Amino acid sequence: MRATAGVVRRHWMFWLLLAGGLLLRGIAQIAYEPALLFIDSKKYIFGTDFNNTIWGAFDPLGYSLLIVRPVLMLGRSLAYAALAQHILGMAMASALYVLMVRRGVSRWLAALAVAPVLLDAYQLNAEQTIMPDVLFEALLVAGIVLLLWRTRPGLFLVILGGLALGASAPVRQVGEALIYVVVAAPGWRRRVLHGAVLTACFALPVAGYMSYSALIMGYGFRMSNMGDAYWKADIALRSYQLHGGYTPGPVFLFGLLAGIAGIFTCRRRRDFGPALACLLITGCAVVVLLGADLYEFSWRYQLPALVTLPVAGAFGVTALVRAVRARRQGRQPARADRTGTVQAADAVQSADAVQAADVIDAVNAVEAAGELAVTGSEQAAR
């Protein structure tokens, strides 16, 4: 009990935000029963069934295979798919918080970085909607957490991270993590090995899905060719969304700039863990967001920013603070060395002055003794 109370006390800000996120998700689950449907939701509900419905479509079906179809096969309501996505949202925030604290980010900064995932109304809307966005976020977060769990990811974590990022490809494509593993691996042999392993593990789920498309669905070896509201909760959630229940744009801008700045704090023979974390997370954000925008802009495609840019900003701030502290600590020994050198030179000069004075005194004493001797001899001769 004491250990549990200590954990709650040390991480009270995160637990408070987590409770708020849980409350909002409970309201969303009740307000939009069984789930929200988007214009593209039919693709994932009916999949490639062109015989029994006109709503069939040939899009990547990773989301349908992993979430929608298992729920429908069990004869359950789509509300269970929304519930699974709400659980993924809470799990993403928890995993990112634990990762940041483990890698040296302060607890309050880590809690603020995951607040958008927990409290953003657009994130709640996505989790309640039958669409693949939340699953893509979760796989992206899983890959990031696995690759950053250690400063130098071992081969096992590289394999798991590659599989997680590769599994996101049948949902939405991502492939920028290779550069991080190559940079993070010490020695060129391990860099080549880790890069090759990550590429192979990333390609494995993609090849598996394309094989499924060719052999089971018969579409060739390729990737692709609203409920009732209760208690007026839907009105309350919509009001929350419109009146401040979203992450402001400047927060994302700050996270992007801090993440980029954190990348350039990397120096040899120093603690470059936060810098490489900034490289991976900021790279993921830029590639995923720009890739979607170049194809077709949609606010829905910006959701991965919630799980990347604030976290990149937290790592960037941590990297910058460490770099400033290291520079200050480097200046202090240098000043101490310079002060010690000056003091030593003064001491040497003082010693030399004392020795010179002693020599002069000795010479004077010898001359005085000689003069006395001469005077004594003269007096004796008289």
Side-chain angles (χ1 to χ4, degrees), residues 14 45 59 106 118 326 335:
F14 170 72
I45 296 176
D59 271 8
S106 61
L118 293 171
R335 291 178 180 175

Side-chain angles (χ1 to χ4, degrees), residues 174-204:
V174 61
E176 65 284 355
L178 177 61
I179 185 174
Y180 170 79
V181 178
V182 172
V183 173
W188 69 268
R189 291 185 178 86
R190 292 192 64 181
R191 291 182 180 181
V192 172
L193 175 62
H194 285 194
V197 168
L198 180 69
T199 303
C201 292
F202 181 90
L204 184 61

